[in-house]
Amino acid sequence: MAEREERRFAQVSRESVALMAESAGVELGEEMAAVLAEDVCYRLREAAQSCSQFMKHAKRKKLTVEDFNRALRWSNVEAVCGYGAQDALPFRSGKEGELFFVDDREINLIELALATNIPKGCAETMVRVNVAYLDGKGGVELQGAVPTAVQSLSDDLLKYYQQITRAILGDDPHLMKVALLDLQSNSKIAALLPYFVYVISGVKSVSHDLEQLNRLLHMVRSLVQNPYLYLGSYVRSLVSSVMYCILEPLAASINPLNDHWTLRDYAALLLSNIFWTHGDLVSGLYHQILLSLQKVLSDPVRPLCSHYGAVVGLHALGWKAVEKVLFPHLPAYWANLQAVLDDYSVSNAQVKADGHKVYGAILVAVERLLKMKALSLSHPGEWCFNAQTGSLAAAVGYSSPGLSPPPESLSEAAFGIASHLQAGSGGCPWEEWAPVSLPAMYLELYSFFGDSLAVRFSTGPGLDSPPYCPSALLREPKKEALGQGSNSDTARKMPQLTANLSISPRRDGSPRTDPPPPSLAAAGPGRSLPRSSSAQRSRYSSSRSAQRLTGLPRDVFPKARFASPQNGPPTFSFVIGGRQMGQRCQGRRPFQTVFAPTPPPAAVPPRAYAHKLPVIGRVGKPVRRWTCSHYSLLLPL
Amino acid sequence: MAAVQGGMVDEKEEVDIKTEPQSDGLMNTNATDGRQLSPSPSSSSSAGSTKSAAGAPEDQQTLLAVLQFLRKNKLTESVEILRREAGLPEDALDTKGADCSAPSSGGTAGGVDGLDAGSLLSRVAVSSSAGTPAPTKAAVADDQPDVSVVLSAYSQQGDPALYKVYYSDLKKFIESVLDCHRAELSQVFYPLFVHMYLELVYNNHESEAKAFFEKFSGDQECYYEDDLRVLSSLTKKEHMRGNETLLDFRTSKFVLRISRDSYQLLKRHLQERQNNQIWNIIQEHLYIDIFDGMPRSKSQIDAMSGSLAGEAKREANKAKVYYGLLKEPEIEVPLDDEDEEAENEEGKPKKKKPKKDSMGSKSKKQDPNAPLQNRIPLPELKDSDKLDKIMYMKESTKRIRLGRENLPSICFYTFLNAYQGLTAVDFTDDSSLIAGGFADSTVRVWSVTPKKLRKVKSAADLNLIDKESDDVLERIMDEKTASESKILYGHSGPVYGISFSPDRNYLLSCSEDGTVRLWSLLTFTCLVGYKGHNYPVWDTQFSPYGYYFVSGGHDRVARLWATDHYQPLRIFAGHLADVTCTRFHPNSNYVVTGSSDRTIRLWDVLTGNCVRIFTGHKGPIHTLAFSPNGKFLASGATDGRVLLWDIGHGLMVSELKGHTDTVYALRFSRDGEILASGSMDNTVRLWDAAKAFDDLETDDFTAATGHIHLQDNSQELLLGTYMSKSTPVVHLHFTRRNLLLAAGSYAA
């Protein structure tokens, strides 16, 4: 423009207007362009003025594109779209130097969609309070540290961070304890939280070092228990680290001497701890975790240690999780597990040992499930139990876990560690979830575990009535179960279970060549470790199993290898004995199942075993899968 | 509540009739954007004929019109001069004058008496002709314009070239008068400058207008800077159509207070110099409030000026205001409180007895300045309210007595991860809940205590509970929904104001989407959307007694609502720009509004009248606070100053300077000793309010004339400045025990 107006306003020159008109396909005269330019300038100023009030009322100092658009909208002008980004727009000059434009890069959507560095979601808006000034004197402490804002740490904090991480990951166990204790109680480390979380997320890189993994998990525990820390969205990262330790086939698991089982147990404990103490933060994760546990469990390619992790994880999430995921899945899984346990070849010894671990974990989980279920049944009024006597098939074909669990499940999740609280739990019916009736469940589980399950329910003194009655007499067993539950629960806790399980592999020199008992009824008293009540119990069980076999259709088990004793002569009788804690004196309880003959495992060349070592469910699996499974073990390392 | 309603509505009906026409007129000017301006029937008829008049021979026509006007007013000398200056033949006027003398006689009256009609008319005329610079070179005589219309449109116009001369002449005169008069007369500069500039723009003398602006805009007081900026962007007549600010300037009179002596001086000068141009402006656009006595000093004037429409007229602040507090209902405070006794077994009960008596006697005596208890109907106290009152009284006994030597502790509630989106904050009176309004249209409520927020159970579940049980209030709550915070979705624009009801059952929020919403804090759902403001609503607040609430917004009116009415009970119209903040007086009988026209108005809820206008702020007012005794008002504005006002006398009491940015939060301590102010400059400042009010001795003269003498004692009154860490202070709140809570969002 020839005569420049006052400099303080945005100017749109008449050339710009002419250019814009041209790009829109309109030819403008000089005069017209000049008039338009002037009007545009004015409108621009007007809009700038009216948009500033939106800024003022939003109590900001920075005028945003949104403010401007609001001003436009209120003056009936179309808003300008596409400039909502927070960062400044680069304004560049064209080659000729006369042309200026906003740099508008093309974005490759495919690249964006497949990008691995997915930006983190915004942290939740929250309010934190701190005492800024006491009695109007001096800053007690500058305003609370801001967790997510990127900020330079003060020297003190940095030093603290270094000392703590060094102590925790270092060699001195005493120092580690002190550091963990401080981490658990320090109120001023909010700013360091992201750093600690980052360190913990390093579990993936130290999966070969059990010791380090353990320490990192301890760190998680300390952070979770620190009452001054608000974990916010970091809890997700922590949970994923914990889940890693529970589920992944760690490099450390290759060496059977490494006690990675304890690590998994500890991680599961931690998981339930997180759900117990930070239920409000992780409630959204509950289902996600359930899903991933289910996925692992239903994936036969995964090594047994992963399955073990999935089971203890489910156990940690509470009996409802067990009921919802493990129980329906059990029939399918059982077949695979059985196959492993049945294999007595030397090369299979290690896998078999692992299999026993899983077996034990499942046993503990379902036992808790039965107990809790019985307990919840015994609370009339609060628990409107759907006494569904329908066939097992209905229960097994449960609807997909898309429904969100009611919030109670979170508190239930804690029962793994706080079993004494169970009596106080009213519980609430799973909406839309059709539960299997307790008798049906017991029946089914008994079909898997036999007496080793029954034993758990009959240790109470003076137990005359059978632990199970037909559904008509539902109330009685409930009370029984309750009584026993409270008796034995205190004695049976996760860590003890671990100790017990570590012994069990030793016990698996199963008497393979035991003479097959002629019938189940005869098997009980025929055991080498008779007990006063065992005969009685066996009788129950035999009578019940008979009842079960005749009364309920069992065709839901595609791979069920149970043959009713009546149907044909048993070829094998197999005893799996896991000495269970708390009953050590009794030795192993017999688990009796009658098997149909399986194809001899020796059919597979021993060489292939090396590959199949961590794989279960190889029976009837296509060869193609083996290679996959081979990688599934090695890849994450 | 229903019982309350009856009385209020009956009275309300009458008042509404009174206020509505006024507000309607106002609404129209707001609502009709320049582009969709609908001409009133009277002007549209003449619009057609003006069309050609506004064409190319405009200048000459204008001149003719002016000449004619001058002659009509027997200003023959001016006629001669103008004619000679313009180089018109002597008979030019005669012939044309003769032609149109008949119609003009009827038209002049209308032209002179109201610019409003004229301005509207001319705008219509321009809008129809602006697009095409009509090249009708036809002889003027051929299609003779309706001179009366031309005259009315240009009644104010003089020779554009002379504007500068007139103005500088006046400037020279005022600079030469005695010092005592100079300050007073200088007040004239700004309104004159604006009107002259607008006239130039109005009459399409763009270059002259620019030159005029360049030359004299620097002389204006710095606090008019914002207006000048708006003004300078406006250089074409078309621009004026949509510009509401300027519309106000032309339609309302700028109020000046000048002593009689000074006024005479000015008048004499203008008459001597035959400076009719300026004289006309003064007559038409300025309201000069003449008082007898000594002229005011420069500082006195500066303290009071700054608003968009000048100072308040003195009679505007003469109405009686019942600023006293209502008598508190007598509630038996149970003295046999266990924890009370446990705290100190002896002493306390003894001390309490006389205390309670004194309180009782105080409340029995009716404060002469208090309104009648039933002046406006107030909701009856429910049992829960009484319980709350008891809680309040108990807490008050534990209150810390603040003072110069005993400053409050400050707790800062920082909103993290709000990403500059926090727009409003409120605390409940008992400080148990905090709510935030956000730019993303959400309202979030947090529990500040360990007690989590719970919803009421669903209707089906409610049927199951035992209604007779003692803890029924506890039983209706759904434990499943307990959480630390709840989010309320419903608005479709930034939430600019929120307010908790005194009983903590409701929350109000107002938003850019033009609605005020009432939320239930039992179900955490929206109960009502009050639609009435068609433009962004900037602020809302519950009455201290609940039930009523007030809102104000971009449409320049404040509205009084009752929660159970979807239409407002009162519309308070009068502000010349957006109503930016609204507050209830502690006795609920008055409402105060602050505006971006830089005035504060106090409105009577009963009558809907404006009873006080406070001027003195130099920027849009963003926060207001009443002192707990209802006698004083504090206001904070974008200019960073906090002003204290005496409501009874309608006077400014003190000016608190210190903040360097907009003051967004003000709050008196519970006993009124300390005033806390929070600002965009990331500080909380504490002021000695008690001292500011104690020092005040209002003599009759000051009260009568409204002349105030402010001493600059900000530094004395400032008790402390407390920095936050890059967190603008958006809200302040004193707990019942006088702990100061501040809130703001961390600006990363």
Side-chain angles (χ1 to χ4, degrees):
Chain A
M1 259 181 131
E3 359 90 60
R4 286 245 178 245
E5 286 184 53
E6 308 91 49
R7 289 266 175 77
R8 47 187 153 158
F9 298 121
Q11 296 279 331
V12 178
S13 71
R14 94 179 69 160
E15 289 87 354
S16 306
V17 172
L19 209 67
M20 285 173 211
E22 216 172 279
S23 69
V26 183
E27 200 65 50
L28 275 188
E30 268 293 283
E31 269 178 52
M32 198 65 125
V35 171
L36 272 176
E38 204 171 334
D39 196 54
V40 165
C41 288
Y42 174 73
R43 298 292 162 211
L44 211 57
R45 288 176 216 152
E46 200 183 26
Q49 247 140 29
S50 57
C51 67
S52 70
Q53 68 183 344
F54 288 99
M55 174 189 75
K56 278 180 191 155
H57 282 282
K59 302 182 170 83
R60 263 183 283 116
K61 281 179 188 167
K62 188 174 163 194
L63 191 69
T64 64
V65 177
E66 208 174 318
D67 291 331
F68 194 81
N69 275 339
R70 279 184 207 295
L72 289 184
R73 225 171 289 140
W74 282 112
S75 50
N76 288 335
V77 180
E78 259 180 67
V80 184
C81 299
Y83 294 92
Q86 289 289 315
D87 20 299
L89 293 165
F91 204 57
R92 299 202 317 179
S93 66
K95 278 174 196 144
E96 288 80 23
E98 284 293 304
L99 202 60
F100 295 89
F101 58 90
V102 174
D103 198 8
D104 199 2
R105 280 183 303 121
E106 278 179 25
I107 291 172
N108 187 344
L109 280 181
I110 299 172
E111 213 170 80
L112 195 70
L114 300 178
T116 44
N117 56 337
I118 296 161
K120 286 182 201 126
C122 296
E124 185 70 13
T125 306
M126 54 190 174
V127 187
R128 282 288 154 270
V129 64
N130 69 311
V131 178
Y133 296 92
L134 259 186
D135 295 334
K137 282 179 211 80
V140 171
E141 184 187 335
L142 270 181
Q143 228 171 293
V146 183
T148 47
V150 178
Q151 54 169 11
S152 53
L153 293 173
S154 70
D155 280 350
D156 288 348
L157 276 178
L158 205 64
K159 220 177 265 171
Y160 175 84
Y161 167 77
Q162 283 166 349
Q163 297 286 354
I164 287 285
T165 45
R166 219 172 277 161
I168 291 177
L169 300 176
D171 295 328
D172 188 342
H174 178 69
L175 215 57
M176 182 184 91
K177 260 181 208 153
V178 172
L180 286 172
L181 221 59
D182 189 71
L183 207 56
Q184 197 174 320
S185 55
N186 198 321
S187 61
K188 295 167 186 172
I189 54 169
L192 287 174
L193 180 61
Y195 297 85
F196 285 129
V197 169
Y198 178 77
V199 168
I200 289 164
S201 71
V203 284
K204 282 154 194 147
S205 53
V206 292
S207 72
H208 56 279
D209 190 342
L210 271 182
E211 185 58 31
Q212 297 280 16
L213 286 173
N214 248 322
R215 286 162 180 227
L216 288 175
L217 285 181
H218 277 105
M219 207 158 153
V220 175
R221 191 191 181 90
S222 291
L223 288 179
V224 167
Q225 289 183 344
N226 189 329
Y228 305 101
L229 273 184
Y230 178 74
L231 295 177
S233 56
Y234 289 111
V235 83
R236 287 174 172 265
S237 173
L238 291 181
V239 165
S240 89
S241 295
V242 170
M243 288 299 286
Y244 180 88
C245 291
I246 295 179
L247 282 182
E248 285 308 309
L250 305 165
S253 331
I254 295 177
N255 184 351
L257 294 179
N258 277 335
D259 189 10
H260 56 103
W261 309 103
T262 317
L263 180 82
R264 290 179 203 277
D265 288 337
Y266 183 65
L269 186 75
L270 211 49
L271 183 71
S272 83
N273 200 347
I274 291 174
F275 270 88
W276 177 238
T277 51
H278 292 78
D280 49 335
L281 292 176
V282 289
S283 55
L285 284 178
Y286 179 80
H287 224 90
Q288 214 174 318
I289 290 175
L290 226 54
L291 267 181
S292 62
L293 289 173
Q294 192 196 14
K295 215 175 106 194
V296 168
L297 203 60
S298 59
D299 185 357
V301 178
R302 293 281 194 138
L304 280 170
C305 55
S306 285
H307 289 169
Y308 176 82
V311 174
V312 293
L314 283 170
H315 184 66
L317 287 179
W319 64 273
K320 288 195 171 161
V322 175
E323 183 184 21
K324 215 172 142 188
V325 178
L326 181 62
F327 178 68
H329 193 69
L330 212 46
Y333 186 75
W334 192 257
N336 294 334
L337 184 61
Q338 200 64 63
V340 173
L341 296 179
D342 283 351
D343 188 346
Y344 290 96
S345 63
V346 181
S347 53
N348 191 44
Q350 186 56 46
V351 180
K352 192 160 174 297
D354 291 359
H356 280 291
K357 285 278 191 189
V358 179
Y359 171 79
I362 294 177
L363 187 60
V364 169
V366 297
E367 184 196 331
R368 165 63 42 88
L369 166 65
L370 284 175
K371 283 225 174 101
M372 293 310 299
K373 212 164 156 73
L375 196 67
S376 63
L377 274 171
S378 64
H379 285 270
E382 288 187 53
W383 174 271
C384 50
F385 182 66
N386 180 9
Q388 186 186 348
T389 50
S391 73
L392 218 60
V396 171
Y398 78 100
S399 55
S400 81
L403 41 119
S404 61
E408 272 80 5
S409 59
L410 299 180
S411 46
E412 296 286 339
F415 289 161
I417 48 165
S419 51
H420 58 283
L421 288 172
Q422 65 200 19
S425 84
C428 144
W430 283 79
E431 286 135 342
E432 307 166 59
W433 158 249
V436 185
S437 71
L438 182 61
M441 184 180 282
Y442 185 85
L443 216 57
E444 177 172 356
L445 290 173
Y446 186 82
S447 72
F448 297 131
F449 295 98
D451 283 355
S452 60
L453 187 64
V455 157
R456 303 312 191 85
F457 288 93
S458 51
T459 47
L463 183 71
D464 287 332
S465 62
Y468 165 78
C469 299
S471 51
L473 299 169
L474 205 57
R475 288 203 135 221
E476 234 178 306
K478 265 183 265 156
K479 282 182 195 142
E480 303 278 0
L482 175 62
Q484 291 155 20
S486 46
N487 272 351
S488 53
D489 261 350
T490 43
R492 211 173 298 124
K493 284 183 183 170
M494 288 292 284
Q496 291 178 24
L497 166 72
T498 308
N500 157 49
L501 282 176
S502 59
I503 300 169
S504 54
R506 307 263 162 270
R507 314 282 306 164
D508 69 3
S510 308
R512 185 180 177 178
T513 48
D514 269 2
S519 75
L520 278 171
R527 286 326 305 158
S528 55
L529 294 162
R531 222 183 71 159
S532 59
S533 62
S534 80
Q536 215 181 1
R537 212 174 304 116
S538 298
R539 226 175 19 259
Y540 298 142
S541 64
S542 71
S543 65
R544 192 143 23 78
S545 65
Q547 187 187 354
R548 179 247 310 162
L549 290 167
T550 48
L552 284 165
R554 306 255 30 139
D555 46 356
V556 271
F557 291 176
K559 288 183 181 175
R561 294 182 216 161
F562 308 101
S564 68
Q566 287 91 347
N567 283 357
T571 46
F572 266 89
S573 156
F574 176 50
V575 180
I576 300 173
R579 191 163 68 174
Q580 302 300 335
M581 42 167 316
Q583 296 160 9
R584 209 163 281 182
C585 55
Q586 296 161 23
R588 74 173 78 107
R589 291 286 110 209
F591 173 84
Q592 299 200 336
T593 320
V594 185
F595 295 105
T598 45
V604 187
R607 252 204 126 178
Y609 260 113
H611 294 289
K612 284 175 280 159
L613 194 70
V615 184
I616 66 161
R618 58 192 171 278
V619 184
K621 284 284 168 234
V623 184
R624 189 163 40 82
R625 284 300 268 283
W626 297 353
T627 47
C628 282
S629 64
H630 175 70
Y631 286 122
S632 79
L633 175 68
L634 292 177
L635 258 179
L637 302 184
Chain B
M1 272 203 176
V4 167
Q5 197 35 49
M8 188 67 189
V9 170
D10 293 343
E11 292 160 10
K12 178 218 123 193
E13 228 81 79
E14 300 166 15
V15 182
D16 266 3
I17 297 165
K18 232 191 289 173
T19 49
E20 227 122 70
Q22 190 189 353
S23 67
D24 274 357
L26 205 98
M27 295 294 282
N28 286 343
T29 44
N30 298 326
T32 51
D33 200 351
R35 275 165 291 281
Q36 355 161 312
L37 185 111
S38 57
S40 61
S42 64
S43 60
S44 63
S45 59
S46 50
S49 57
T50 344
K51 204 178 266 180
S52 55
E58 207 173 48
D59 282 357
Q60 206 189 3
Q61 274 185 14
T62 312
L63 268 178
L64 287 176
V66 171
L67 282 173
Q68 201 170 1
F69 175 72
L70 291 177
R71 202 161 64 175
K72 255 207 84 62
N73 289 298
K74 308 276 186 287
L75 302 166
T76 42
E77 212 178 303
S78 310
V79 172
E80 270 312 298
I81 295 167
L82 184 56
R83 196 177 50 73
R84 234 179 293 136
E85 290 264 352
L88 287 173
E90 207 163 341
D91 57 329
L93 189 63
D94 287 331
T95 50
K96 278 167 200 158
D99 279 350
C100 51
S101 60
S104 73
S105 61
T108 41
V112 175
D113 70 16
L115 181 92
D116 295 12
S119 63
L120 189 66
L121 183 62
S122 65
R123 269 183 284 133
V124 176
V126 169
S127 64
S128 56
S129 64
T132 52
T136 42
K137 286 280 176 196
V140 189
D142 280 355
D143 53 337
Q144 181 64 40
D146 188 348
V147 177
S148 68
V149 174
V150 177
L151 211 59
S152 66
Y154 299 102
S155 63
Q156 286 290 305
Q157 202 199 8
D159 184 343
L162 287 179
Y163 273 61
K164 267 194 216 175
V165 180
Y166 290 148
Y167 190 86
S168 45
D169 184 49
L170 185 72
K171 196 174 145 193
K172 224 178 285 163
F173 161 72
I174 290 177
E175 273 165 4
S176 68
V177 297
L178 283 176
D179 280 358
C180 62
H181 298 299
R182 191 190 301 147
E184 283 208 318
L185 291 181
S186 301
Q187 295 179 81
V188 178
F189 280 137
Y190 174 68
L192 265 188
F193 168 79
V194 175
H195 281 291
M196 290 172 87
Y197 176 77
L198 286 180
E199 268 179 30
L200 284 172
V201 171
Y202 197 61
N203 295 306
N204 285 329
H205 303 299
E206 194 182 333
S207 54
E208 282 92 345
K210 264 184 205 158
F212 184 77
F213 189 91
E214 284 294 299
K215 186 149 190 227
F216 299 112
S217 63
D219 299 344
Q220 308 307 326
E221 298 285 350
C222 54
Y223 40 78
Y224 293 119
E225 200 183 324
D226 284 347
D227 286 342
L228 290 178
R229 198 175 301 132
V230 176
L231 214 57
S232 66
S233 72
L234 182 127
T235 51
K236 284 228 184 306
K237 198 167 168 184
E238 307 81 276
H239 297 161
M240 290 174 75
R241 275 186 289 137
N243 203 317
E244 289 156 15
T245 322
L246 297 171
L247 212 66
D248 289 332
F249 217 92
R250 291 190 72 90
T251 51
S252 64
K253 290 197 168 188
F254 197 94
V255 181
L256 299 172
R257 277 193 213 171
I258 293 181
S259 69
R260 191 171 294 283
D261 292 351
S262 305
Y263 179 68
Q264 295 295 354
L265 215 59
L266 178 71
K267 195 172 167 188
R268 209 177 313 133
H269 167 77
L270 290 176
Q271 278 171 355
E272 266 171 27
R273 305 298 290 262
Q274 298 274 321
N275 203 338
N276 288 302
Q277 188 62 38
I278 287 180
W279 187 240
N280 277 336
I281 291 177
I282 290 177
Q283 292 280 308
E284 286 190 18
H285 294 299
L286 269 54
Y287 178 93
I288 298 188
D289 192 1
I290 301 161
F291 62 87
D292 295 310
M294 287 283 288
R296 291 187 295 169
S297 70
K298 172 90 175 124
S299 63
Q300 279 180 313
I301 293 167
D302 276 352
M304 300 289 285
S305 57
S307 95
L308 195 66
E311 292 183 45
K313 296 170 193 171
R314 267 174 306 156
E315 62 262 33
N317 287 341
K318 289 287 181 242
K320 165 94 173 141
V321 173
Y322 302 99
Y323 55 78
L325 300 184
L326 294 179
K327 204 167 62 180
E328 285 294 318
E330 280 170 49
I331 298 171
E332 288 291 312
V333 181
L335 289 173
D336 52 334
D337 200 306
E338 290 116 32
D339 57 52
E340 201 71 57
E341 308 241 315
E343 262 173 42
N344 39 359
E345 276 104 66
E346 52 206 271
K348 246 290 155 66
K350 263 189 212 164
K351 244 203 274 175
K352 254 187 129 181
K353 273 264 163 81
K355 205 173 185 182
K356 198 202 157 213
D357 282 355
S358 70
M359 276 170 78
S361 64
K362 205 194 276 174
S363 60
K364 264 168 216 152
K365 220 190 293 164
Q366 176 75 25
D367 183 347
N369 290 312
L372 287 176
Q373 208 69 13
N374 56 356
R375 188 164 178 267
I376 62 165
L378 292 171
E380 274 174 40
L381 281 186
K382 288 177 291 194
D383 285 351
S384 57
D385 297 331
K386 284 180 184 157
L387 278 176
D388 200 54
K389 280 258 189 300
I390 291 170
M391 277 303 294
Y392 176 79
M393 284 171 165
K394 275 187 200 159
E395 291 273 298
S396 335
T397 59
K398 295 176 187 165
R399 178 183 294 163
I400 297 164
R401 179 92 184 157
L402 296 179
R404 178 166 274 272
E405 301 306 319
N406 198 7
L407 296 178
S409 302
I410 307 175
C411 276
F412 207 105
Y413 283 84
T414 316
F415 286 74
L416 301 173
N417 305 323
Y419 305 103
Q420 301 242 333
L422 181 73
T423 44
V425 177
D426 195 29
F427 283 95
T428 51
D429 186 68
D430 67 349
S431 318
S432 63
L433 303 175
I434 181 172
F438 290 85
D440 62 2
S441 318
T442 58
V443 175
R444 288 159 201 256
V445 185
W446 283 268
S447 171
V448 173
T449 59
K451 200 177 155 198
K452 295 201 168 180
L453 301 174
R454 293 170 302 175
K455 289 185 193 176
V456 167
K457 284 178 184 163
S458 69
D461 291 342
L462 283 177
N463 270 333
L464 297 176
I465 61 170
D466 176 15
K467 281 147 196 101
E468 303 304 315
S469 68
D470 289 339
D471 59 343
V472 69
L473 287 178
E474 191 57 29
R475 289 195 185 199
I476 59 171
M477 305 313 288
D478 189 349
E479 207 57 52
K480 261 186 275 181
T481 59
S483 66
E484 204 176 275
S485 82
K486 295 262 186 253
I487 308 182
L488 307 174
Y489 297 101
H491 281 296
S492 60
V495 180
Y496 290 121
I498 46 176
S499 172
F500 280 106
S501 71
D503 61 1
R504 295 187 295 283
N505 284 334
Y506 304 103
L507 176 70
L508 273 177
S509 65
C510 65
S511 155
E512 190 250 6
D513 62 14
T515 62
V516 179
R517 281 177 185 271
L518 181 73
W519 308 85
S520 163
L521 295 182
L522 291 173
T523 60
F524 292 95
T525 51
C526 183
L527 300 176
V528 197
Y530 300 95
K531 297 174 184 175
H533 294 280
N534 289 321
Y535 285 87
V537 189
W538 298 130
D539 199 8
T540 186
Q541 203 206 12
F542 253 114
S543 148
Y545 292 88
Y547 185 59
Y548 300 111
F549 66 93
V550 62
S551 66
H554 181 62
D555 58 4
R556 302 162 181 212
V557 293
R559 283 158 205 259
L560 179 83
W561 311 74
T563 46
D564 54 0
H565 279 60
Y566 65 90
Q567 282 181 322
L569 306 180
R570 298 283 184 279
I571 294 179
F572 305 116
H575 277 297
L576 294 177
D578 303 27
V579 176
T580 49
C581 56
T582 53
R583 288 290 177 277
F584 257 98
H585 190 275
N587 68 20
S588 199
N589 278 259
Y590 295 91
V591 159
V592 70
T593 56
S595 162
S596 48
D597 68 8
R598 306 187 287 271
T599 63
I600 297 159
R601 282 169 185 258
L602 187 73
W603 310 85
D604 190 335
V605 164
L606 181 68
T607 62
N609 291 334
C610 176
V611 288
R612 289 286 180 274
I613 303 176
F614 297 129
T615 63
H617 270 297
K618 319 291 190 228
I621 287 129
H622 272 277
T623 180
L624 294 161
F626 280 102
S627 68
N629 61 10
K631 262 174 124 171
F632 301 99
L633 175 71
S635 61
T638 55
D639 57 10
R641 299 183 317 149
V642 174
L643 299 183
L644 301 178
W645 309 88
D646 178 346
I647 295 168
H649 295 100
L651 296 173
M652 193 191 297
V653 172
S654 191
E655 179 188 17
L656 308 174
K657 286 186 274 195
H659 282 295
T660 55
D661 209 329
T662 308
V663 179
Y664 277 121
L666 281 173
R667 187 67 75 141
F668 282 96
S669 67
R670 293 283 174 160
D671 39 20
E673 299 276 332
I674 301 273
L675 173 67
S677 62
S679 156
M680 193 81 166
D681 64 10
N682 304 339
T683 60
V684 173
R685 282 168 203 260
L686 300 179
W687 310 89
D688 193 340
K691 180 171 159 57
F693 298 140
D694 285 347
D695 289 356
L696 179 74
E697 75 269 342
T698 310
D699 49 59
D700 291 343
F701 173 76
T702 315
T705 57
H707 300 170
I708 44 152
H709 302 270
L710 287 183
Q711 62 243 57
D712 187 16
N713 56 354
S714 291
Q715 287 315 308
E716 273 173 58
L717 295 178
L718 178 64
L719 298 178
T721 302
Y722 303 97
M723 302 284 293
S724 72
K725 187 174 152 197
S726 61
T727 307
V729 184
V730 171
H731 191 77
L732 290 169
H733 178 80
F734 274 98
T735 67
R736 290 173 173 178
R737 300 187 186 187
N738 265 340
L739 172 70
L740 179 57
L741 308 180
S745 88
Y746 179 79

